[in-house]
Amino acid sequence: MKRVNISNNVIRRMPRYLRKLDDLTYHGIDRISSGELGRQLGLTPSQIRQDFSCFGEFGQQGYGYNVQKLRDEIATILGMKNEFSVILIGVGNLGRALVNNFGFENHGFHLKAAFDVEPSVVGTDVGGVHVFHSSEMLDYLSRNKVDIAVLSVPRRLANNIANNIVDYGIRAIWNFTNIELDIKRDDVLIEDIHFLDSLLYLSYHLAAQAENEEN
Amino acid sequence: MKRVNISNNVIRRMPRYLRKLDDLTYHGIDRISSGELGRQLGLTPSQIRQDFSCFGEFGQQGYGYNVQKLRDEIATILGMKNEFSVILIGVGNLGRALVNNFGFENHGFHLKAAFDVEPSVVGTDVGGVHVFHSSEMLDYLSRNKVDIAVLSVPRRLANNIANNIVDYGIRAIWNFTNIELDIKRDDVLIEDIHFLDSLLYLSYHLAAQAENEEN
């Protein structure tokens, strides 16, 4: 895989391409031009060709893209073939929603274990995943290679847990705690899910509309 | 409020400023320069001044920003003072997580009602919000002004529900169903939460690191 000078904006568009290609496959479309793909995504054809050219040559002049092949290339680019292993820390409502509805395995990730302190869930299986007591977590990490931790614990616990697990080999944290983690190591990837940001994007526009209507 | 030619990028940064200012307040800081704010957010001071200047004049030369006042201005910009009303459609694990943990009221939103078909939740209160049967939803909307619908139903139901509620006055949909909604009206705001996109951002970087280590 060629990965040269790739901006975050390009990387952030890749999952959108993936979703669109899955959608096309679902609708039985097996080939698409960069022009049509651009139209459906609100991007210019040259933007699309430029994005893909960061990683190699995927289209064919005059033919366009083979949907399945391009989907496959993008899945590889995005690490979906790497079978990264995942643990879930915190099996509250949100943790449960992720285990039951998100479909880690469908996207190429292995959700190997979950951890919580709540007696009613420790020792049970949630969505096919065993829930261990959190006190077993560091021992588990020292015996198993885990790439990604999903952090969905109460926010007061977040920083402490995050700093512990990165000392035990966790290289990426998918952070649902809504606080900015303060990790002492700078080689750890963190991706924050801030639900509020997207709700405020809606309410910004509603507020702007309301002002227009007043004027 | 002045809102002139404001790009989506500026709007998307506003919630980040809000979070940072809340964080500063929490740490007892009541005044900050654009330089220091920029350093903490990874933005240039001129970028910050330019962002705020879209909405008016908030800082004071040589003094910097009053943290509480700027926070207040941004909350107004983002519609947090408008008391927008919200309903939740779908009280599964994710819906429950939102009601219990998200804190709509803390952010200036009124979560007025929830809807589901599941007999075990219909008629109960979840996090202080009453759960009605979904068959009552359109009637509820015809009697109550609701601005925003949070959609967390199984994806096969999503489009049908979305198209029904927009005919009953819903102007914005916060979409957790992971499908791209196909709404017949173009005056409805939709904000999609795609969990997978952010997990793939992590796995992209892990995959890139793995390739570097091989070479």
Side-chain angles (χ1 to χ4, degrees), chain B residues 38-58:
Chain B
R39 203 191 55 75
Q40 295 194 20
L41 287 165
L43 299 167
T44 65
S46 76
Q47 173 75 81
I48 289 177
R49 284 192 297 266
Q50 205 178 314
D51 283 357
F52 295 155
S53 72
C54 297
F55 305 100
E57 289 298 326
F58 301 148

Side-chain angles (χ1 to χ4, degrees), chain B residues 3 26 39 44 75 80 94 96 99 105 113 123 160-161 165 192-194 198 208 211:
Chain B
R3 299 182 196 258
Y26 180 80
R39 203 191 55 75
T44 65
M80 298 170 81
L94 182 63
R96 253 165 220 281
V99 173
E105 311 289 328
N160 193 18
I161 292 174
I165 59 180
D192 300 310
I193 301 276
H194 288 298
S198 77
E211 284 165 28

Side-chain angles (χ1 to χ4, degrees), chain B residues 9 29 56 70 75 80 92 94 97 106-107 109 116 120 136 154 160 173-174 176 189 191 212:
Chain B
N9 286 340
I29 294 160
L70 182 59
M80 298 170 81
L94 182 63
N106 298 343
H107 304 304
F109 298 90
D116 206 300
S120 62
E136 299 174 69
N160 193 18
I173 298 175
W174 200 20
F176 286 84
L189 299 163
E191 180 73 5
N212 280 338

Side-chain angles (χ1 to χ4, degrees), chain B residues 23-145:
Chain B
D23 191 50
L24 292 172
T25 301
Y26 180 80
H27 287 98
I29 294 160
D30 57 8
R31 168 173 144 179
I32 192 165
S33 65
S34 56
E36 178 57 21
L37 190 56
R39 203 191 55 75
Q40 295 194 20
L41 287 165
L43 299 167
T44 65
S46 76
Q47 173 75 81
I48 289 177
R49 284 192 297 266
Q50 205 178 314
D51 283 357
F52 295 155
S53 72
C54 297
F55 305 100
E57 289 298 326
F58 301 148
Q60 202 179 314
Q61 193 74 39
Y63 174 89
Y65 298 106
N66 175 313
V67 169
Q68 193 49 53
K69 217 172 127 197
L70 182 59
R71 199 272 179 201
D72 212 55
E73 296 277 7
I74 291 177
T76 304
I77 291 167
L78 287 169
M80 298 170 81
K81 308 286 179 73
N82 292 56
E83 307 194 347
F84 290 122
S85 56
V86 179
I87 59 167
L88 171 69
I89 310 176
V91 192
N93 285 311
L94 182 63
R96 253 165 220 281
L98 289 169
V99 173
N100 288 318
N101 309 335
F102 176 68
F104 287 93
E105 311 289 328
N106 298 343
H107 304 304
F109 298 90
H110 284 320
L111 181 57
K112 293 169 75 170
F115 297 90
D116 206 300
V117 293
E118 181 60 36
S120 62
V121 301
V122 171
T124 67
D125 281 16
V126 173
V129 175
H130 191 72
V131 183
F132 296 91
H133 193 279
S134 298
S135 61
E136 299 174 69
M137 186 167 61
L138 298 184
D139 183 51
Y140 181 94
L141 289 176
S142 65
R143 288 181 290 104
N144 297 274
K145 183 183 169 303

Side-chain angles (χ1 to χ4, degrees), chain A residues 169-183:
Chain A
I170 291 288
R171 301 150 65 205
I173 297 176
W174 200 20
N175 176 27
F176 286 83
T177 66
N178 210 31
I179 69 162
E180 310 263 347
L181 296 174
D182 186 12
I183 307 272

